[in-house]
Amino acid sequence: MSDSDQRNSLTITDNRTGKSYELPIENGTIRTMDLRKIKASDDDFGILGYDPAFLNTCSCKSTITYIDGDKGILRYRGYPIEQLAEQSSFLETAYLLIKGYLPDKERLAVWTYNIRHHTMTHANLTKFMDGFRYDAHPMGILVGTVGALSTFYPDAKNVGEEESRKLQVRRLIGKMPTLAAMSFRHSLGFPYVLPDNDLSYAGNFLSMMFRMTERSYKPNPVLEKALDVLFILHADHEQNCSTNAVRSVSSSMVDPYSAIAAGCAALYGPLHGGANEAVIHMLRQIGSVDKIPEFIKSVKSGEGRLMGFGHRVYKNYDPRARIIKKIAFDVFAETGRNPLLDIAIELERIALEDDYFIQRKLYPNVDFYSGLIYQAMGFPTEMFPVLFAIGRVPGWLAQWIEHVKDPDQKIARPRQIYLGEECRDYVPLDERPRRGDDEQKFGICRL
């Protein structure tokens, strides 16, 4: 091994055998398959890495999204999120994520046209959606209907064909707001509103959500712009829970509708897409500004939890949170000030000045203000994860395409550390002893 190779390698000494191993370092990582070379004996399987929740494991190489959590940096394809939120539109950002570069005027016009003309859904999908209970959660409906799209477009199974992938991308980005609005109106018993392709992407969604008897729906431009920016902020966020779900399911070469449905299912959880709803509940629980010190005290003592603060990746102020905070003031200037905003602002001020939270690097994240904005715009809390899913679709699709085209990828199949019983002989039913204390010992549920 040359001096250059030694500088870019990791030396591991196995104290069981005294042997040393040189593992190449590439892009600051080692391939965990190289650990398999480290064996205590010839018949040893080799060393495995144990990393629950992927806290320090890279599952892919990607060129889509860059995050520096310590510095509070988020970039799509190299472009800072602050610049995209201020100057771009959601459909342009979606183009950037999918294609890898910003479009010129002609390409953006064609892209926008293609998306808008894939907003309609098959009439039979309406019957499918009508089968859900009247009180079904909109996110549960969305998971089901997105997955059902694979039965309407059987050509989507041709994931290795570029033209097929392009068509499914247009279909999914176009139809997602339609399915989301339908899920909302189904829960209210309202008739579905057809897409209006004369409106913008966000404006059309607002129309399908809230249009009643108007001849034509004209969205409030401030709310329309705010929603478009929120979609941009949610468009991608590296290898988070839902993106990992999309990639993992995609590894079986399933159609993108099934993979995106898996992403929606992951986003359904309160630790992911439902986090901003938890912030609303927390602010309501606090009730008023004068009760914030008492609430902070309960959090420090472990009796409460500060929702909307802290992040697995960010150890600084989430850059999306700064943008959303500004949007909140713009929206409330139109809709009227929500008293929960005063609680949120004061709670943020106190927490950012408190050593307890500073030492733990707990800063506001994207969920802290987004729920307040959605609420002010008229969206019920049940729709919050659905809105998240609409914005995230371009990122999921970009990750799906990257995964499908990556020659290093195979079907996802994590290893495990088996800690169960050794080999046991089967005992016939009549010869087995009666179980009593063992059930309690092993936590077995009595039926």
Side-chain angles (χ1 to χ4, degrees):
M1 180 178 289
S2 67
D3 292 340
S4 176
D5 291 337
Q6 284 185 330
R7 285 194 299 269
N8 291 300
S9 67
L10 177 69
T11 301
I12 298 178
T13 300
D14 186 348
N15 292 325
R16 299 172 300 176
T17 62
K19 292 183 179 179
S20 292
Y21 301 83
E22 295 285 338
L23 307 186
I25 296 175
E26 181 184 358
N27 299 315
T29 66
I30 62 168
R31 287 184 175 267
T32 52
M33 278 298 291
D34 287 342
L35 295 174
R36 292 273 292 277
K37 302 173 184 177
I38 306 174
K39 300 182 178 184
S41 60
D42 291 339
D43 60 351
D44 187 1
F45 186 77
I47 293 291
L48 296 173
Y50 178 58
D51 187 14
F54 305 109
L55 295 176
N56 195 45
T57 297
C58 300
S59 62
C60 64
K61 295 177 181 177
S62 182
T63 62
I64 299 170
T65 298
Y66 173 77
I67 297 175
D68 187 326
D70 291 329
K71 297 179 181 178
I73 293 174
L74 170 62
R75 298 176 189 145
Y76 296 162
R77 301 287 190 179
Y79 293 93
I81 191 63
E82 295 85 355
Q83 293 182 18
L84 294 173
E86 182 179 352
Q87 302 176 54
S88 185
S89 67
F90 175 66
L91 286 185
E92 183 184 57
T93 299
Y95 186 102
L96 170 66
L97 288 169
I98 299 294
K99 306 284 189 177
Y101 55 89
L102 288 171
D104 56 29
K105 287 185 178 180
E106 183 179 350
R107 289 178 182 271
L108 181 58
V110 172
W111 169 260
T112 301
Y113 176 88
N114 286 336
I115 298 298
R116 286 180 177 175
H117 285 75
H118 278 286
T119 53
M120 293 287 289
T121 59
H122 195 286
N124 285 349
L125 194 68
T126 302
K127 298 178 183 178
F128 179 85
M129 187 166 287
D130 286 341
F132 288 96
R133 278 176 55 103
Y134 71 94
D135 58 352
H137 195 291
M139 194 61 178
I141 296 176
L142 189 69
V143 172
T145 51
V146 170
L149 286 178
S150 65
T151 65
F152 289 88
Y153 305 111
D155 59 308
K157 67 180 182 294
N158 302 318
V159 297
E161 298 178 6
E162 185 176 2
E163 288 304 314
S164 176
R165 292 198 300 267
K166 289 180 179 179
L167 179 57
Q168 312 319 321
V169 165
R170 294 194 290 266
R171 283 172 172 166
L172 268 161
I173 297 176
K175 297 181 193 307
M176 200 68 175
T178 308
L179 296 178
M182 290 173 69
S183 70
F184 167 71
R185 294 182 73 93
H186 173 81
S187 67
L188 296 177
F190 291 167
Y192 305 130
V193 175
L194 294 177
D196 184 347
N197 291 333
D198 291 330
L199 298 175
S200 71
Y201 190 84
N204 179 43
F205 176 60
L206 290 171
S207 171
M208 291 188 292
M209 283 284 297
F210 300 120
R211 183 177 176 179
M212 298 303 287
T213 59
E214 306 97 317
R215 282 184 177 274
S216 61
Y217 181 89
K218 294 183 179 179
N220 182 304
V222 174
L223 305 188
E224 182 181 14
K225 174 62 176 176
L227 188 59
D228 197 69
V229 173
L230 284 166
F231 285 160
I232 291 174
L233 298 180
H234 284 131
D236 195 57
H237 207 242
E238 205 221 41
Q239 303 307 310
N240 52 77
C241 175
S242 56
T243 299
N244 178 66
V246 170
R247 277 184 173 262
S248 183
V249 172
S250 297
S251 71
S252 72
M253 291 301 165
V254 73
D255 66 89
Y257 302 101
S258 298
I260 298 302
C264 291
L267 203 61
Y268 199 171
L271 297 183
H272 197 3
N276 48 14
E277 181 178 349
V279 173
I280 296 294
H281 292 317
M282 175 190 71
L283 297 175
R284 286 174 174 165
Q285 180 184 0
I286 295 172
S288 60
V289 172
D290 61 292
K291 293 182 180 178
I292 293 177
E294 180 183 348
F295 173 75
I296 291 290
K297 184 178 180 181
S298 71
V299 171
K300 290 181 179 181
S301 64
E303 298 174 7
R305 187 176 177 187
L306 187 59
M307 305 304 298
F309 275 68
H311 196 277
R312 170 72 68 82
V313 174
Y314 295 113
K315 304 308 174 187
N316 202 323
Y317 207 107
D318 185 336
R320 300 169 299 172
R322 296 186 190 277
I323 300 168
I324 286 180
K325 184 177 180 180
K326 180 181 181 300
I327 295 173
F329 285 98
D330 295 339
V331 169
F332 285 125
E334 270 315 293
T335 63
R337 194 176 181 89
N338 186 333
L340 294 181
L341 179 62
D342 297 324
I343 300 175
I345 292 172
E346 181 63 11
L347 180 60
E348 178 188 12
R349 185 192 68 79
I350 292 175
L352 291 179
E353 294 176 355
D354 194 304
D355 288 340
Y356 177 89
F357 300 104
I358 294 173
Q359 291 172 4
R360 288 163 176 76
K361 297 184 178 181
L362 296 176
Y363 299 91
N365 59 40
V366 69
D367 300 306
F368 190 65
Y369 284 105
S370 60
L372 289 171
I373 297 173
Y374 290 147
Q375 189 181 59
M377 294 173 71
F379 295 107
T381 53
E382 293 80 8
M383 281 295 293
F384 291 179
V386 176
L387 296 166
F388 201 152
I390 296 173
R392 186 52 57 89
V393 165
W396 285 336
L397 289 170
Q399 300 276 351
W400 165 66
I401 293 170
E402 189 175 68
H403 184 93
V404 169
K405 296 171 67 175
D406 186 351
D408 281 349
Q409 294 295 337
K410 298 177 175 64
I411 185 168
R413 177 59 167 85
R415 294 285 182 175
Q416 67 169 17
I417 301 173
Y418 180 71
L419 300 176
E421 299 285 349
E422 296 293 336
C423 183
R424 297 188 287 182
D425 291 326
Y426 181 83
V427 178
L429 181 61
D430 293 340
E431 298 177 19
R432 296 173 202 168
R434 181 180 180 277
R435 293 293 180 186
D437 295 338
D438 283 353
E439 291 183 354
Q440 187 173 1
K441 175 183 177 182
F442 292 108
I444 300 173
C445 176
R446 290 180 180 271
L447 299 178

